[in-house]
Amino acid sequence: MDHDQALAAGIAALGSTVGVDTEFMRVRTFHPIPALYQLAADTGVLLVDAQAAATFAPLKALLLDPARAKIMHACSEDLEVIAVHLGLRPVNLLDTQLAHAFLTPEYSAGYVKLVDHYLGRTLSQHETRSDWLARPLSDAQIRYAREDAAYLVPIWERQRDALDRCGRLKWFEEDMRRVLSTSPETPDTWYRTIKAVWRLSRRELAVLRSLTRWRELEARRRDVPRAWVAADERLTILARRDELRANDVASVLPRRVAARYGKALARAHRAGLEDPEPPARIPPPLKRAATTVVKEMRHQAGETAARLGVAKELIARKRDLEALYRHYRDHRMLPDWFGGWRAEVLGVALEDLLRKAL
């Protein structure tokens, strides 16, 4: 299936609910290289060569059609592939891994496990790391690719019924909206992900933001991994300097890298120093008294998750509860993102705990 006309005919036959999976390669590149799309329904599995000379307009239309449900499993990497290749984010998307977390205590169950759990079938995953860019695909690759999508719809159908019976379908739909509305990191925000960045002053953060912005754009331009340009920890060292000349870069970065990028890094460093609006400082780790409160919050959340029979990660992740603690400490109210079903099952208990502690 390697041209738009045939693709349109194949997609038209799939119906209103379609399983979607991708195969891709990313070893020496910044972006994933799309290799294959698998589209599954009762009629079978349609394999779409992502390397074909085509506009993929029918596939784009499917992914953006609000009337047709798209079923994925652990969708984050698939969403990245689709964004890079097709320039869009699917609508009416449902993730079987997330749905499973609302039905069992398991948060990151794999596709093979879900096939066994919901359908009683055993799959092998021996082609996971094969060369998906090779053409033609082997019989084993084709068999794996079909299996990797074929059971998405029947799994979801069983999950949907189970979610509906226990009154959690709206909870799941709420979280899917959150997943799809979450913005990926950008060249201007990547600096916030770097380890121990809270130690830097606002001026140093402005420099680090400028350096990481340059690094992100250069890695994307060359389509190489970030670390091939400059590792996070090296940029943090440079950001602490009051001045940076091209010759100074060699003391921090490998000689060949410094020779190639010394002038560019010096310019980015200077731009950060001259930034009229340095970013706000990153909150430091919580102190002991606060961590004790967060620990109590996690215990309360864990007990609630156990009582409900859902994965505790949905409501008891440490980083989320630390953010909740900080927000309540500063504003004396729970954050908006903790609304909906989370506030319904846990809001009163956590607010009482925080009120007493603070």
Side-chain angles (χ1 to χ4, degrees), residues 130-147:
S130 65
D131 182 2
W132 289 104
L133 296 175
R135 295 296 182 271
L137 296 175
S138 68
D139 290 343
Q141 285 178 307
I142 291 173
R143 182 169 58 254
Y144 168 84
R146 291 184 182 280
E147 284 188 341

Side-chain angles (χ1 to χ4, degrees), residues 286-297 325 353 357-358:
L286 295 173
K287 294 183 179 180
R288 179 175 297 180
T291 60
T292 299
V293 177
V294 172
K295 186 176 181 179
E296 294 175 6
M297 293 166 63
Y325 174 92
L353 194 160
L358 297 172

Side-chain angles (χ1 to χ4, degrees), residues 134-190:
R135 295 296 182 271
L137 296 175
S138 68
D139 290 343
Q141 285 178 307
I142 291 173
R143 182 169 58 254
Y144 168 84
R146 291 184 182 280
E147 284 188 341
D148 218 24
Y151 303 108
L152 287 169
V153 172
I155 287 172
W156 164 245
E157 290 172 344
R158 286 157 177 77
Q159 290 178 328
R160 180 193 57 209
D161 292 345
L163 289 166
D164 196 31
R165 285 194 302 271
C166 65
R168 294 177 197 161
L169 184 57
K170 291 188 180 300
W171 295 7
F172 166 72
E173 292 171 345
E174 179 186 322
D175 271 31
M176 279 307 314
R177 288 192 292 271
R178 289 181 64 185
V179 169
L180 293 174
S181 64
T182 301
S183 300
E185 297 294 342
T186 69
D188 283 322
T189 62
W190 185 264

Side-chain angles (χ1 to χ4, degrees), residues 40 118 131 149 191 227 242 259 278 285 308 334:
Y118 292 99
D131 182 2
Y191 75 97
D242 295 329
L308 295 171
L334 298 179

Side-chain angles (χ1 to χ4, degrees), residues 86-105:
L86 303 178
L88 59 86
R89 176 163 286 198
V91 299
N92 196 2
L93 171 64
L94 306 160
D95 189 311
T96 58
Q97 187 179 73
L98 181 60
H100 188 69
F102 280 96
L103 295 169
T104 76

Side-chain angles (χ1 to χ4, degrees), residues 60-353:
K60 294 177 183 179
L62 166 67
L63 296 174
L64 292 175
D65 186 349
R68 303 178 79 178
K70 275 69 68 175
I71 316 302
M72 294 184 179
H73 179 81
C75 67
S76 60
E77 289 186 323
D78 298 308
L79 291 179
E80 185 180 3
V81 172
I82 290 169
V84 168
H85 187 221
L86 303 178
L88 59 86
R89 176 163 286 198
V91 299
N92 196 2
L93 171 64
L94 306 160
D95 189 311
T96 58
Q97 187 179 73
L98 181 60
H100 188 69
F102 280 96
L103 295 169
T104 76
E106 298 176 301
Y107 186 67
S108 299
Y111 175 71
V112 173
K113 185 164 190 175
L114 265 58
V115 172
D116 178 59
H117 179 86
Y118 292 99
L119 306 175
R121 298 182 65 99
T122 301
L123 301 183
S124 63
Q125 293 283 301
H126 56 278
E127 293 295 328
T128 304
R129 298 189 180 277
S130 65
D131 182 2
W132 289 104
L133 296 175
R135 295 296 182 271
L137 296 175
S138 68
D139 290 343
Q141 285 178 307
I142 291 173
R143 182 169 58 254
Y144 168 84
R146 291 184 182 280
E147 284 188 341
D148 218 24
Y151 303 108
L152 287 169
V153 172
I155 287 172
W156 164 245
E157 290 172 344
R158 286 157 177 77
Q159 290 178 328
R160 180 193 57 209
D161 292 345
L163 289 166
D164 196 31
R165 285 194 302 271
C166 65
R168 294 177 197 161
L169 184 57
K170 291 188 180 300
W171 295 7
F172 166 72
E173 292 171 345
E174 179 186 322
D175 271 31
M176 279 307 314
R177 288 192 292 271
R178 289 181 64 185
V179 169
L180 293 174
S181 64
T182 301
S183 300
E185 297 294 342
T186 69
D188 283 322
T189 62
W190 185 264
Y191 75 97
R192 297 178 61 88
T193 71
I194 296 176
K195 185 177 180 180
V197 71
W198 61 270
R199 297 180 183 276
L200 302 187
S201 68
R202 293 187 66 196
R203 178 56 55 202
E204 290 168 339
L205 283 174
V207 175
L208 182 62
R209 180 172 63 182
S210 182
L211 292 172
T212 54
R213 180 193 299 124
W214 168 83
R215 191 271 310 274
E216 291 293 292
L217 295 175
E218 179 64 11
R220 295 181 188 204
R221 184 188 69 80
R222 291 181 55 204
D223 195 19
V224 297
R226 294 179 178 92
W228 286 25
V229 177
D232 286 347
E233 59 271 19
R234 305 282 184 169
L235 295 182
T236 303
I237 293 172
L238 295 178
R240 291 179 176 275
R241 291 179 176 249
D242 295 329
E243 181 183 13
L244 184 67
R245 296 168 297 182
N247 292 340
D248 298 331
V249 177
S251 65
V252 176
L253 296 175
R255 182 174 300 177
R256 291 182 61 185
V257 176
R260 181 170 189 170
Y261 295 127
K263 292 182 180 179
L265 283 164
R267 287 194 297 269
H269 189 280
R270 185 166 57 253
L273 288 174
E274 297 172 355
D275 191 335
E277 297 182 2
R281 293 200 65 179
I282 307 298
L286 295 173
K287 294 183 179 180
R288 179 175 297 180
T291 60
T292 299
V293 177
V294 172
K295 186 176 181 179
E296 294 175 6
M297 293 166 63
R298 293 188 72 190
H299 177 72
Q300 180 71 56
E303 286 191 337
T304 301
R307 174 174 55 82
L308 295 171
V310 303
K312 65 180 181 180
E313 290 86 351
L314 292 173
I315 53 177
R317 287 190 298 186
K318 181 180 178 182
R319 66 182 182 185
D320 292 338
L321 293 180
E322 286 181 343
L324 189 151
Y325 174 92
R326 288 190 176 96
H327 189 277
Y328 191 90
R329 179 194 60 194
D330 297 339
H331 304 285
R332 287 302 187 269
M333 60 186 297
L334 298 179
D336 290 342
W337 59 262
F338 197 78
W341 73 267
R342 288 174 175 80
E344 179 184 330
V345 302
L346 193 59
V348 172
L350 290 188
E351 196 160 12
D352 284 348
L353 194 160

Side-chain angles (χ1 to χ4, degrees), residues 15-84:
S16 61
T17 303
V18 182
V20 179
D21 190 37
T22 67
E23 304 299 342
F24 62 93
M25 300 289 289
R26 176 161 55 187
V27 178
R28 299 174 177 271
T29 61
F30 183 92
H31 297 295
I33 303 173
L36 194 69
Y37 292 100
Q38 301 105 285
L39 309 176
D42 292 342
T43 54
V45 180
L46 181 67
L47 301 183
V48 181
D49 186 355
Q51 293 293 304
T55 69
F56 298 96
L59 178 56
K60 294 177 183 179
L62 166 67
L63 296 174
L64 292 175
D65 186 349
R68 303 178 79 178
K70 275 69 68 175
I71 316 302
M72 294 184 179
H73 179 81
C75 67
S76 60
E77 289 186 323
D78 298 308
L79 291 179
E80 185 180 3
V81 172
I82 290 169
V84 168

